[in-house]
Amino acid sequence: MPLLARSANLGLILLVMGMIAGCAPDRAYRSAALDPAVNGADWPTCAQCRGDASLEHRTYVTKDRVKGDYLLGFVEFDDQGWYHDIRQKQLLLSRLKAMDADQGEKFLIIVYAHGWKHNARADDPDVSEFQKLLERIDVMEGARAAAGAGSPEIKRRKIVGVYMGWRGNSISLPLLQEATFWTRKNAAERVGSAGAKDLLPELKNFKRVSNKDRGNDDLGGPNETQLIVVGHSFGGYLVYTALHSQILERATRLRIDGEEAYYGIAQSFGDFVLLVNPAFEGSIYEPIHNFAVNRCYSPKQRPVMMIVTSEGDWATGIAFPIGRLYTFTQSAPQDGERETVLKAVGHLNRYRTHHLRIQRTENDQPVSEPKTVIPTNEKRAEAMADAATAEMNRQTGGAISKTSVYYGNAYLEPARPLRANYPYLVATAEKAVIRDHNDIFNENFIDFIVRFMTAEVVSPKKNEPPDEPSDYPGCARFLSSAPPVK
């Protein structure tokens, strides 16, 4: 055998051996059997946990000496989307039901599906960052309750984190990890099509029971149990795979008033869905987009879903379309269709609704301290004028003008004219907000998300169900088409 052929064969053998040696096992990293939970005050805190329990009662103390605690559950899935150990889910739900029944607790439940190259190991960076996020949200909830002290209507809720673990890291060798793009995308899809479609509805059902929701699937109020689902990277694809049909169905629900049929408030799954740097093609977002732009929304409409993608996200901006080059073998005859098949949803102008930016100083530097006011009188005047325009459009069903909405240092600037109260947000974040694909737990973005959720989801002003049609003259009703927003 020629030397070149023998060398090639040897290289291939070494590559295969390296991949086998570096293969991360398809197993659970959290054991339901190690759960320390007993009843009531005897349940130990995280200081006594070993780092491999599927249910933890974690405590913390901030640098400002604020003390708090929260519940953190792990539910893991194998490569086919099955539960590694269904007792993880059962343990979490039984604990929540017991706290609801025995103590009358209400909960703010945050579900997080991690992305590519991560799992549920105790030393995984996403695990520790998710814990910090839960601490931040618990502090927020404490401040909200303290601000309403003395009012029986304001109650502090228990923060519950649910970490959805899957085999996002199938090979531990850094260089070989890049070759797992296709297999990990497929694995995320299987989890989203299987186990996640069981776990997420179970959590939603618990929310309904906790809130004594008798069948309307209502959004939770600020003192009720609420459910927020977050996904990153292929975890965003996992979440979208599990929920997109239900989100679309909730957008299309009709209210019947005699002979008249019109669209009611578009509801989220749970209370809100957030996808950060999600790694899925725009073409599978098209059905929601098509319907969303062809109806109108009540002033009481709350956000349904937000997709945020960093302009510096090379993984979804460059690597993702390279990984999708095989789709050129498929037909895509419609105008713009090829691009939506090739590119990730957050990189398509077709779907973009907003830019997520940071307030800047006169020297064009990001401001260092969060501010909740518009920085200049001129911008404030512009905002007031736009607010008046938006109010007029609520009455006519037209498009709103470009009104930026501020959340601390960050603000959402519309990328195009939108219908009033449009609830399906697709935002491109500048690098000062999210630097790249994995920079999702930085202070600027977390501050924005906590403030956004506080204002729009956790303590919304838009809480009551509508008493009037959510569409206005000139907007689509059932079996009609809305005029385009220009």
Side-chain angles (χ1 to χ4, degrees), residues 114-120 124-126 163 166-169 232 438:
H114 65 77
W116 191 19
K117 305 177 185 178
H118 292 277
N119 52 38
D124 190 287
D126 268 22
Y163 189 96
W166 60 285
R167 197 170 173 235
N169 184 21
H232 169 235
N438 292 314

Side-chain angles (χ1 to χ4, degrees), residues 113-354:
H114 65 77
W116 191 19
K117 305 177 185 178
H118 292 277
N119 52 38
R121 285 171 56 108
D123 60 353
D124 190 287
D126 268 22
V127 172
S128 60
E129 293 293 349
F130 185 49
Q131 291 166 355
K132 294 175 186 176
L133 175 61
L134 295 174
E135 292 177 9
R136 185 75 165 266
I137 294 173
D138 188 59
V139 170
M140 170 201 75
E141 180 66 11
R144 185 187 72 89
S151 171
E153 298 179 356
I154 304 297
K155 299 178 181 178
R156 181 168 183 167
R157 296 169 295 184
K158 176 67 69 178
I159 302 303
V160 178
V162 181
Y163 189 96
M164 292 177 60
W166 60 285
R167 197 170 173 235
N169 184 21
S170 59
I171 294 179
S172 57
L173 298 178
L175 292 179
L176 294 179
Q177 282 181 331
E178 308 306 321
T180 65
F181 172 92
W182 295 274
T183 63
R184 295 308 86 206
K185 184 176 187 288
N186 292 338
E189 182 178 15
R190 289 192 295 270
V191 176
S193 300
K197 281 193 173 179
D198 175 77
L199 173 64
L200 294 175
E202 287 266 48
L203 291 169
K204 181 174 68 68
N205 285 339
F206 169 75
K207 172 202 155 184
R208 290 182 58 191
V209 170
S210 177
N211 293 339
K212 297 181 173 54
D213 177 357
R214 298 185 181 277
N216 294 325
D217 203 18
D218 290 334
L219 299 171
N223 298 306
E224 295 181 309
T225 294
Q226 292 182 310
L227 173 63
I228 297 170
V229 184
V230 183
H232 169 235
S233 184
F234 285 147
Y237 181 38
L238 184 161
V239 169
Y240 188 78
T241 300
L243 301 183
H244 75 276
S245 294
Q246 297 193 51
I247 290 173
L248 180 59
E249 187 274 332
R250 284 164 169 77
T252 63
R253 286 179 180 173
L254 290 174
R255 300 188 68 200
I256 310 298
D257 184 8
E259 298 297 322
E260 207 48 51
Y262 54 85
Y263 298 113
I265 278 186
Q267 293 184 322
S268 185
F269 178 92
D271 291 276
F272 185 59
V273 175
L274 171 65
L275 308 179
V276 188
N277 290 334
F280 63 86
E281 55 273 23
S283 58
I284 62 175
Y285 183 72
E286 182 73 9
I288 289 179
H289 168 76
N290 267 339
F291 195 87
V293 299
N294 277 293
R295 58 158 291 179
C296 292
Y297 302 92
S298 165
K300 297 176 182 178
Q301 177 68 54
R302 283 155 58 172
V304 170
M305 178 169 64
M306 178 186 287
I307 296 173
V308 182
T309 300
S310 169
E311 63 183 12
D313 181 4
W314 67 268
T316 60
I318 298 175
F320 186 90
I322 291 175
R324 299 278 301 166
L325 288 176
Y326 73 91
T327 61
F328 275 99
T329 63
Q330 304 168 359
S331 173
Q334 308 301 322
D335 289 345
E337 189 174 12
R338 172 63 62 196
E339 187 179 33
T340 69
V341 171
L342 190 65
K343 293 184 179 181
V345 60
H347 293 277
L348 290 159
N349 289 330
R350 179 181 183 85
Y351 306 122
R352 184 177 297 116
T353 64
H354 291 81

Side-chain angles (χ1 to χ4, degrees), residues 405-416:
V405 184
Y406 287 76
Y407 303 92
N409 268 0
Y411 62 97
L412 284 169
E413 177 186 84
R416 65 176 68 193

